């Protein structure tokens, strides 16, 4: 008599078909309060997260994107004040921009501010942040506060001080006459070139400390062991800064460049309060011109909306270029 297990050939076909099969657990068969499937739990977590994001998303759409859409529709209308009608053709406001000499002049002036002021401001902020990050520097808190403070000064008081300083009988002319650098008072706010220079000086004075804080925070987050390693390898101070510190500051430099470009293209305060856009609109920024078209003389909201959309497109294009050039990740 053999003890070997029976093979499939030994089992009759009828017996194989009647063999019980393992059953999948149904929902009703799960014990109450037991663990739910991981997929369903993940879905619940996702829905919970979206429910938290929904109010903020609705606010962003309602307060930002909906006005942008309304402004675009407004740019396709013409008329004065509230008596607006559909433009014929629809792009007539944008076509008018190509023939508007004041628009071209203010656009050129804005780019002058951008090209001259932004690189100087960011370089100066980086130098100041590096100096104030020195461990051996005394009174660091005082210097940091003193340099950052102009960005918190009220716009009106700051404009009054600058207008007084650069007046014909102001402090700047008195100092230059005393030093023998000029023969007579300079009309700083009455000449196109000097008026633009005063606006640029005002921007540098006000916003350099603001950007310095960004760089100072980035410098304090750099791993000091990388700098020590460079010094051990024989790198000097400049090489260590250029090849070790600068690459680690690159994301912050990109951020400040985008913020400064965006802010300069929307420059209004200095143009309006320091020089009033003069003389002969030579120091007027494009946002200042947008304000005049919108709310002074004969308000033309349709044309002003077209100007605002041109500003939006320029800001978006420059930001995309900066991201493309600066954000080269491995």
């Amino acid at each position: 008599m053999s003890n070997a297990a029976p093979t499939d050939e030994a089992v009759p076909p009828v017996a194989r078909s009647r063999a019980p099969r393992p059953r999948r657990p149904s929902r009703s068969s799960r014990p109450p309060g037991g663990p739910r499937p991981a997929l369903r739990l993940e879905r619940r977590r996702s829905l919970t997260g979206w429910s938290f994001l929904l109010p903020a998303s609705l606010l962003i759409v309602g307060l930002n994107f909906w006005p942008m859409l309304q402004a675009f529709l407004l740019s396709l209308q013409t008329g004065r004040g509230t008596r607006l009608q559909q433009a014929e053709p629809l792009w007539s406001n944008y076509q008018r921009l190509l023939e508007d000499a004041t628009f071209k002049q203010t656009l050129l002036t804005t780019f002058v501010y951008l090209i001259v002021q932004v690189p100087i401001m960011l370089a100066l902020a980086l130098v100041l942040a590096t100096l104030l990050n020195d461990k051996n520097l005394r009174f660091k808190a005082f210097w940091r506060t003193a340099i950052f403070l102009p960005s918190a000064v009220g716009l009106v008081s700051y404009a009054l001080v600058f207008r007084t300083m650069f007046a014909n009988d102001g402090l700047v002319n008195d100092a230059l006459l005393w030093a023998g650098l000029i023969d007579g008072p300079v009309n700083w706010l009455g000449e196109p070139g000097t008026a633009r220079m005063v606006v640029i000086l005002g921007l540098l004075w006000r916003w350099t400390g603001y950007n310095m804080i960004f760089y100072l925070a980035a410098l304090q987050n750099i791993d000091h062991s990388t700098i020590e390693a460079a010094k051990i390898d024989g790198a000097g101070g400049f090489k260590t800064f250029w090849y070790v510190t600068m690459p680690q500051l690159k994301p912050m430099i990109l951020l400040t460049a985008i913020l400064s470009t965006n802010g300069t293209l929307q420059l209004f305060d200095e143009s309006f309060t320091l020089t009033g856009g003069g003389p002969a609109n030579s120091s007027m920024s494009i946002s200042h011109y947008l304000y005049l078209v919108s709310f002074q003389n004969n308000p033309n909201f349709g044309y002003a909306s077209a100007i605002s959309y041109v500003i939006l497109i320029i800001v978006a294009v420059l930001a995309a270029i900066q991201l493309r050039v600066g954000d080269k990740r491995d």
Side-chain angles (χ1 to χ4, degrees):
M1 184 175 179
S2 174
N3 295 328
T7 60
D8 290 345
E9 289 77 6
V11 180
V14 177
R16 282 205 305 268
S17 63
R18 292 180 179 176
R21 295 179 179 178
R23 297 178 59 185
R24 295 178 59 186
S26 62
R27 182 176 299 179
S28 59
S29 63
R30 294 192 195 107
R36 296 178 180 276
L39 181 61
R40 189 176 179 186
L41 183 60
E42 188 68 23
R43 187 179 178 186
R44 288 187 61 193
R45 288 178 177 173
S46 177
L47 290 175
T48 304
W50 280 109
S51 65
F52 279 108
L53 289 177
L54 186 61
S57 302
L58 291 176
L59 285 175
I60 291 174
V61 171
L63 298 178
N64 290 282
F65 291 101
W66 179 251
M68 288 172 63
L69 177 61
Q70 291 288 326
F72 177 72
L73 296 177
L74 191 59
S75 70
L76 305 180
Q77 300 181 38
T78 59
R80 299 290 180 181
T82 57
R83 291 176 295 181
L84 299 173
Q85 58 184 358
Q86 186 174 333
E88 291 291 342
L90 285 177
W91 57 87
S92 62
N93 283 327
Y94 295 94
Q95 190 174 8
R96 178 182 168 185
L97 290 173
L98 302 176
E99 303 168 356
D100 189 345
T102 306
F103 170 77
K104 294 177 182 177
Q105 184 181 13
T106 55
L107 186 62
L108 174 65
T109 302
T110 305
F111 270 96
V112 169
Y113 294 149
L114 176 68
I115 295 170
V116 176
Q117 177 255 340
V118 171
I120 296 175
M121 178 180 64
L122 296 185
L124 190 59
L126 185 57
V127 171
L128 289 173
T130 305
L131 294 176
L132 294 182
N133 196 41
D134 187 357
K135 294 181 179 178
N136 300 321
L137 181 67
R138 301 182 63 185
F139 309 115
K140 283 191 290 187
F142 169 77
W143 296 117
R144 292 173 182 178
T145 305
I147 296 174
F148 176 74
L149 203 57
S151 62
V153 171
L155 176 63
V156 175
S157 56
Y158 138 70
L160 287 175
V161 170
F162 260 72
R163 287 181 69 88
T164 305
M165 288 175 57
F166 286 94
N168 289 344
D169 55 350
L171 177 64
V172 176
N173 275 334
D174 290 343
L176 293 177
L177 285 171
W178 178 80
L181 297 177
I182 56 176
D183 297 328
V186 177
N187 189 7
W188 297 101
L189 301 177
E191 299 293 334
T194 53
R196 288 175 178 171
M197 189 194 71
V198 171
V199 172
I200 291 173
L201 287 176
L203 290 169
L204 291 175
W205 179 80
R206 193 179 184 199
W207 296 114
T208 298
Y210 178 81
N211 288 284
M212 181 201 71
I213 294 298
F214 284 94
Y215 293 142
L216 197 57
L219 285 170
Q220 292 177 355
N221 286 326
I222 289 178
D223 187 2
H224 197 68
S225 62
T226 58
I227 298 176
E228 293 296 331
K231 290 180 180 177
I232 293 173
D233 290 341
F238 178 76
K239 285 187 175 179
T240 302
F241 178 78
W242 188 256
Y243 292 106
V244 179
T245 304
M246 280 292 285
Q248 299 184 70
L249 290 177
K250 192 175 177 182
M252 190 58 72
I253 293 174
L254 179 63
L255 172 66
T256 53
I258 292 175
L259 291 177
S260 301
T261 301
N262 191 359
T264 305
L265 289 176
Q266 300 180 61
L267 174 67
F268 174 79
D269 298 341
E270 281 74 10
S271 172
F272 186 77
T273 57
L274 283 180
T275 63
N281 300 332
S282 60
S283 63
M284 183 185 296
S285 67
I286 191 170
S287 294
H288 187 179
Y289 181 54
L290 169 63
Y291 167 78
L292 296 181
V293 173
S294 299
F295 302 110
Q296 287 195 351
N297 302 326
N298 293 318
N300 190 337
F301 298 118
Y303 187 52
S305 299
I307 295 175
S308 67
Y309 255 85
V310 170
I311 298 175
L312 172 67
I313 292 171
I314 293 174
V315 170
V317 170
L318 290 179
I321 292 174
Q322 288 172 332
L323 283 173
R324 183 72 177 175
V325 173
D327 190 16
K328 293 180 178 178
R329 300 177 183 176
D330 296 333

